Amino acid sequence: MDACPVTESRCCQFCPQMGVDLDLVNRTLFGVAYSGEPMGEVREVNIARSREAKIRERAQYGGTVSTLIRVALESGLISTAVLAKLVEGVPQGVAVSSSREVLDCCGSSYLVCPVLEAFHRWQPEDNGRVGVVGTPCQTLALAHLRTCSLSAQSNVNRLNLVIGLFCTWALSHRFRKVLEKWAALPEIRKTDIPPPPASVFHVYTADKCISIPLDDVRPFVPPACALCWDMTSEMTDISVGSAEGIEGWNTVIIRSRKGQELVRTAVSEGLLETRELPKESLDHLMESARLKKRRALQNLVRKSGRREDLLHLKLKREIVERILGSD
Ligand SMILES: Cc1cc2nc3c(=O)[nH]c(=O)nc-3n(C[C@H](O)[C@H](O)[C@H](O)COP(=O)(O)OP(=O)(O)OC[C@H]3O[C@@H](n4cnc5c(N)ncnc54)[C@H](O)[C@@H]3O)c2cc1C
């Protein structure tokens, strides 16, 4: 093995799995200490959906993400968006700048997508501003980047919008072999995980829907997902997920003033509609987010052997105690 002589490196600084101080990240983004509340910093929680039929037809649920990105591009908040796009059925990170291209990125791939690679490769034009859509691990990496002393050598200073997706886990690309047993990857129109108690992974082609038991899917979840404590992409301007039991709508958590203004613009331009999130759905979301935190802490403690050592995660002791209790 070669010894690495570098003492200060971007690889070590930027990777949140090498150490992330959630208090520092939260203060940098929101100006307050990290609370450890299940859903992070919250200004508003609503349900929303696109008013545009052509987005709703292709979107995962209500098309809220694609609509907000479209409005951000058209209003000049950003000049480029880094999104995930299926190329021959495999998700790739792409930098796009038109509404047409945003439409081509609609829908969720549950395979891990190298969105941040596309963010780092993006070559900004003069005064270019970028928005990124990503999973909790990706949006945490971006937020963490803002706290790194070497970040000037990255595109992070051009980052003007982060939209996060809710995520329980993603799937390794080894899962492609399982999918290919049922359909050629480019023929897959949509994949989805319906809410419990279904316990299946749906794969839709033009003429059929295949249901794969979740027990056959879970072996393809990368081990890092078991250590992730964030279900709702806490370090973002806006986070979006499904609206359980309310088909065709999204749950939307607005976290920053910028996020709030973007949603207001989308609504006032008639491109997005919002409604109140029913209390029981909010309670359920809170509970799922709390359980993800608890599971992650249990796994981290199991791995390190000590409650005081959460490996890459730096968290205040009182937050750990509150979540783990007498475990
Ligand atoms: C791996 C994964 C796991 C998820 N788990 C949950 C969950 O447990 N609970 C829940 O409520 N929601 C989950 N979601 C979010 C959900 O699938 C929708 O993305 C979200 O509700 C937005 O819906 P929409 O109709 O607004 O999306 P759309 O308007 O269709 O936009 C979807 C956006 O997601 C981006 N995207 C697609 N695939 C990926 C990917 N692999 N990585 C990064 N970005 C991607 C696209 O670029 C696009 O901009 C998950 C998403 C992913 C990618």
Coordinates of all heavy atoms in Angstrom, one line a residue, residues 55 58-67 83-85 91 105-113 115 133-135 138 165-170 231 240-242 250, ligand 1:
I55 N -45.8 18.0 -16.4 CA -44.8 17.6 -15.4 C -45.4 16.4 -14.6 O -44.8 15.4 -14.3 CB -44.5 18.8 -14.5 CG1 -43.6 19.8 -15.2 CG2 -43.8 18.3 -13.2 CD1 -43.0 20.9 -14.4
R58 N -45.0 12.9 -15.8 CA -43.7 12.2 -15.8 C -43.1 12.2 -14.5 O -42.0 11.5 -14.3 CB -42.8 13.0 -16.8 CG -43.4 12.8 -18.2 CD -42.6 13.5 -19.3 NE -41.2 13.1 -19.4 CZ -40.4 13.5 -20.4 NH1 -40.8 14.3 -21.3 NH2 -39.2 13.1 -20.5
A59 N -43.6 12.9 -13.5 CA -43.0 13.1 -12.2 C -43.2 11.8 -11.4 O -44.0 11.0 -11.6 CB -43.5 14.3 -11.5
Q60 N -42.4 11.7 -10.3 CA -42.5 10.6 -9.4 C -43.9 10.6 -8.7 O -44.6 9.7 -8.6 CB -41.4 10.6 -8.4 CG -41.3 9.4 -7.5 CD -41.0 8.1 -8.3 OE1 -40.5 8.2 -9.4 NE2 -41.2 6.9 -7.7
Y61 N -44.2 11.8 -8.1 CA -45.5 11.9 -7.4 C -46.2 13.2 -7.9 O -46.8 13.2 -9.0 CB -45.3 12.0 -5.9 CG -44.6 10.7 -5.4 CD1 -43.5 10.8 -4.6 CD2 -45.2 9.5 -5.6 CE1 -42.8 9.6 -4.2 CE2 -44.6 8.3 -5.1 CZ -43.4 8.4 -4.4 OH -42.8 7.2 -4.0
G62 N -46.0 14.3 -7.2 CA -46.7 15.5 -7.6 C -45.9 16.5 -8.5 O -46.4 17.5 -9.0
G63 N -44.7 16.1 -8.8 CA -43.8 17.0 -9.7 C -43.4 18.3 -9.0 O -43.0 19.2 -9.7
T64 N -43.4 18.3 -7.7 CA -43.1 19.6 -7.0 C -41.6 19.9 -7.2 O -41.3 21.1 -7.5 CB -43.3 19.4 -5.5 OG1 -44.7 19.1 -5.3 CG2 -43.0 20.6 -4.7
V65 N -40.7 18.9 -7.2 CA -39.3 19.2 -7.4 C -39.1 19.8 -8.8 O -38.4 20.9 -8.9 CB -38.4 17.9 -7.2 CG1 -37.0 18.1 -7.6 CG2 -38.5 17.4 -5.7
S66 N -39.6 19.1 -9.8 CA -39.3 19.6 -11.1 C -39.9 21.0 -11.3 O -39.3 21.9 -12.0 CB -39.9 18.7 -12.2 OG -39.4 17.4 -12.0
T67 N -41.1 21.3 -10.7 CA -41.7 22.6 -10.9 C -40.8 23.7 -10.2 O -40.6 24.7 -10.8 CB -43.1 22.6 -10.2 OG1 -43.9 21.6 -10.9 CG2 -43.8 23.9 -10.4
L83 N -29.1 17.7 -11.8 CA -30.2 16.7 -11.5 C -29.8 15.3 -11.9 O -28.7 15.1 -12.4 CB -31.4 17.1 -12.4 CG -32.0 18.5 -12.3 CD1 -33.1 18.7 -13.3 CD2 -32.5 18.8 -10.8
A84 N -30.7 14.3 -11.6 CA -30.4 13.0 -12.0 C -31.2 12.7 -13.3 O -32.4 13.0 -13.3 CB -30.8 12.0 -10.9
K85 N -30.6 12.0 -14.3 CA -31.3 11.7 -15.5 C -31.0 10.2 -15.8 O -29.9 9.8 -15.7 CB -30.8 12.6 -16.6 CG -31.5 12.3 -17.9 CD -30.9 13.3 -19.0 CE -31.6 12.9 -20.3 NZ -31.1 13.8 -21.4
P91 N -29.1 5.9 -13.8 CA -29.1 7.4 -13.4 C -27.7 8.0 -13.5 O -26.7 7.4 -13.0 CB -29.6 7.4 -12.0 CG -29.3 6.0 -11.5 CD -29.3 5.1 -12.6
C105 N -35.7 15.0 -16.7 CA -35.1 14.4 -15.4 C -36.2 14.0 -14.4 O -35.9 13.7 -13.3 CB -34.1 15.4 -14.8 SG -32.7 15.7 -15.8
C106 N -37.5 14.1 -14.8 CA -38.5 13.8 -13.9 C -38.5 12.3 -13.5 O -38.0 11.5 -14.2 CB -39.9 14.0 -14.6 SG -40.5 15.7 -14.5
G107 N -38.9 12.0 -12.3 CA -39.0 10.7 -11.8 C -37.8 10.3 -10.9 O -36.8 11.0 -10.9
S108 N -38.1 9.3 -10.0 CA -37.0 8.8 -9.1 C -36.4 7.6 -9.6 O -37.1 6.6 -10.0 CB -37.6 8.5 -7.7 OG -38.2 9.7 -7.2
S109 N -35.0 7.5 -9.5 CA -34.3 6.2 -9.6 C -33.9 5.9 -8.2 O -33.3 6.7 -7.6 CB -33.1 6.4 -10.6 OG -32.4 5.2 -10.4
Y110 N -34.2 4.7 -7.8 CA -33.7 4.3 -6.4 C -32.3 3.8 -6.4 O -31.7 3.5 -5.4 CB -34.7 3.3 -5.8 CG -36.0 4.1 -5.5 CD1 -37.0 4.2 -6.4 CD2 -36.2 4.8 -4.3 CE1 -38.2 4.9 -6.2 CE2 -37.3 5.5 -4.0 CZ -38.3 5.6 -5.0 OH -39.4 6.4 -4.7
L111 N -31.7 3.8 -7.6 CA -30.2 3.5 -7.7 C -29.4 4.7 -7.3 O -29.8 5.8 -7.6 CB -29.8 3.1 -9.1 CG -30.4 1.8 -9.7 CD1 -30.1 1.6 -11.1 CD2 -30.0 0.6 -8.9
V112 N -28.3 4.5 -6.6 CA -27.5 5.7 -6.2 C -27.1 6.4 -7.5 O -26.7 5.8 -8.4 CB -26.2 5.1 -5.4 CG1 -25.2 6.2 -5.2 CG2 -26.6 4.5 -4.1
C113 N -27.2 7.7 -7.4 CA -26.8 8.5 -8.6 C -25.7 9.5 -8.3 O -25.8 10.2 -7.3 CB -28.1 9.3 -9.1 SG -27.7 10.4 -10.5
V115 N -24.7 12.4 -8.4 CA -25.1 13.8 -8.7 C -24.0 14.8 -8.3 O -23.7 15.8 -9.1 CB -26.4 14.2 -7.8 CG1 -26.6 15.6 -7.8 CG2 -27.6 13.4 -8.3
V133 N -30.4 19.0 -6.8 CA -31.4 18.1 -6.2 C -30.7 16.9 -5.7 O -29.9 16.3 -6.6 CB -32.5 17.8 -7.2 CG1 -33.5 16.8 -6.5 CG2 -33.3 19.0 -7.5
G134 N -30.8 16.5 -4.5 CA -30.1 15.3 -4.1 C -30.7 14.6 -2.8 O -31.7 15.1 -2.2
T135 N -30.2 13.5 -2.5 CA -30.6 12.7 -1.4 C -30.0 13.3 -0.1 O -29.1 14.1 -0.2 CB -30.2 11.2 -1.6 OG1 -28.9 11.2 -1.9 CG2 -31.1 10.6 -2.7
Q138 N -26.2 13.3 0.0 CA -25.6 14.3 -1.0 C -25.8 15.7 -0.6 O -24.9 16.5 -0.7 CB -26.3 14.1 -2.4 CG -25.9 12.7 -3.0 CD -26.8 12.3 -4.1 OE1 -27.9 12.8 -4.3 NE2 -26.4 11.3 -4.9
L165 N -34.3 15.4 -1.2 CA -35.4 14.4 -1.3 C -35.4 13.6 0.0 O -34.4 13.4 0.7 CB -35.0 13.4 -2.4 CG -34.8 14.0 -3.8 CD1 -34.3 12.9 -4.8 CD2 -36.0 14.7 -4.4
F166 N -36.6 13.2 0.4 CA -36.7 12.3 1.6 C -36.1 11.0 1.1 O -36.2 10.6 0.0 CB -38.1 12.0 2.0 CG -38.9 13.2 2.5 CD1 -38.4 14.5 2.5 CD2 -40.3 13.0 2.9 CE1 -39.2 15.5 3.0 CE2 -41.0 14.1 3.4 CZ -40.5 15.3 3.4
C167 N -35.5 10.3 2.0 CA -34.8 9.0 1.6 C -34.7 8.1 2.8 O -34.1 8.5 3.9 CB -33.5 9.3 1.0 SG -32.6 7.8 0.4
T168 N -35.1 6.8 2.7 CA -34.9 5.8 3.7 C -33.6 5.1 3.4 O -32.8 4.8 4.2 CB -36.1 4.9 3.9 OG1 -37.3 5.7 3.9 CG2 -36.0 4.1 5.1
W169 N -33.5 4.7 2.1 CA -32.3 4.1 1.6 C -32.3 4.2 0.1 O -33.3 4.4 -0.5 CB -32.1 2.7 2.1 CG -33.3 1.8 2.1 CD1 -34.0 1.4 3.2 CD2 -34.1 1.2 1.0 NE1 -35.1 0.6 2.9 CE2 -35.1 0.5 1.5 CE3 -33.9 1.3 -0.4 CZ2 -36.1 -0.2 0.7 CZ3 -34.9 0.6 -1.2 CH2 -35.9 -0.1 -0.6
A170 N -31.1 4.0 -0.5 CA -31.0 3.9 -1.9 C -30.5 2.5 -2.3 O -30.3 1.7 -1.3 CB -30.0 5.0 -2.5
M231 N -33.6 11.5 7.4 CA -34.6 11.0 6.5 C -35.1 12.1 5.5 O -35.5 11.8 4.4 CB -35.8 10.4 7.2 CG -36.5 9.3 6.4 SD -38.2 9.1 6.9 CE -39.0 10.1 5.7
V240 N -38.4 17.5 -0.2 CA -39.6 17.0 -0.8 C -39.6 15.5 -0.7 O -38.6 14.8 -1.0 CB -39.7 17.5 -2.3 CG1 -41.0 17.0 -2.9 CG2 -39.5 19.0 -2.4
G241 N -40.8 15.0 -0.4 CA -41.0 13.5 -0.3 C -42.4 13.1 -0.8 O -43.1 14.0 -1.3
S242 N -42.8 11.9 -0.6 CA -44.2 11.5 -0.9 C -45.1 12.1 0.1 O -44.7 12.5 1.2 CB -44.3 10.0 -1.0 OG -44.0 9.5 0.3
N250 N -47.0 15.8 -3.0 CA -45.7 15.7 -2.3 C -45.9 16.3 -0.9 O -46.6 17.3 -0.7 CB -44.6 16.4 -3.0 CG -44.2 15.8 -4.3 OD1 -44.5 16.4 -5.4 ND2 -43.6 14.7 -4.3
Ligands
LIG1 C1 -32.9 6.9 -3.6 C2 -34.2 7.6 -3.2 C3 -34.9 7.2 -2.1 C4 -36.1 7.8 -1.7 N1 -36.8 7.5 -0.6 C5 -37.9 8.1 -0.2 C6 -38.6 7.7 1.0 O1 -38.2 6.8 1.7 N2 -39.7 8.4 1.3 C7 -40.2 9.5 0.5 O2 -41.2 10.1 0.9 N3 -39.6 9.8 -0.6 C8 -38.5 9.2 -1.0 N4 -37.8 9.6 -2.1 C9 -38.2 10.8 -2.8 C10 -39.3 10.5 -3.9 O3 -39.0 9.4 -4.6 C11 -39.4 11.7 -4.8 O4 -38.2 12.0 -5.4 C12 -39.9 13.0 -4.1 O5 -41.1 12.8 -3.5 C13 -40.1 14.1 -5.2 O6 -41.2 13.8 -6.0 P1 -41.6 14.7 -7.2 O7 -42.8 14.2 -7.8 O8 -41.6 16.2 -6.8 O9 -40.3 14.5 -8.1 P2 -40.0 14.9 -9.6 O10 -40.6 16.2 -10.0 O11 -40.3 13.7 -10.5 O12 -38.4 15.1 -9.5 C14 -37.6 14.1 -9.0 C15 -36.2 14.6 -8.9 O13 -35.4 13.7 -8.2 C16 -34.1 13.6 -8.8 N5 -33.6 12.2 -8.7 C17 -34.2 11.1 -9.2 N6 -33.5 10.0 -8.8 C18 -32.4 10.5 -8.1 C19 -31.4 9.8 -7.4 N7 -31.2 8.5 -7.5 N8 -30.5 10.6 -6.7 C20 -30.7 12.0 -6.6 N9 -31.7 12.6 -7.3 C21 -32.6 11.9 -8.0 C22 -34.3 14.0 -10.3 O14 -33.2 14.7 -10.8 C23 -35.5 14.9 -10.2 O15 -35.1 16.3 -10.2 C24 -36.6 8.9 -2.5 C25 -35.9 9.3 -3.7 C26 -34.8 8.7 -4.0 C27 -34.0 9.1 -5.3

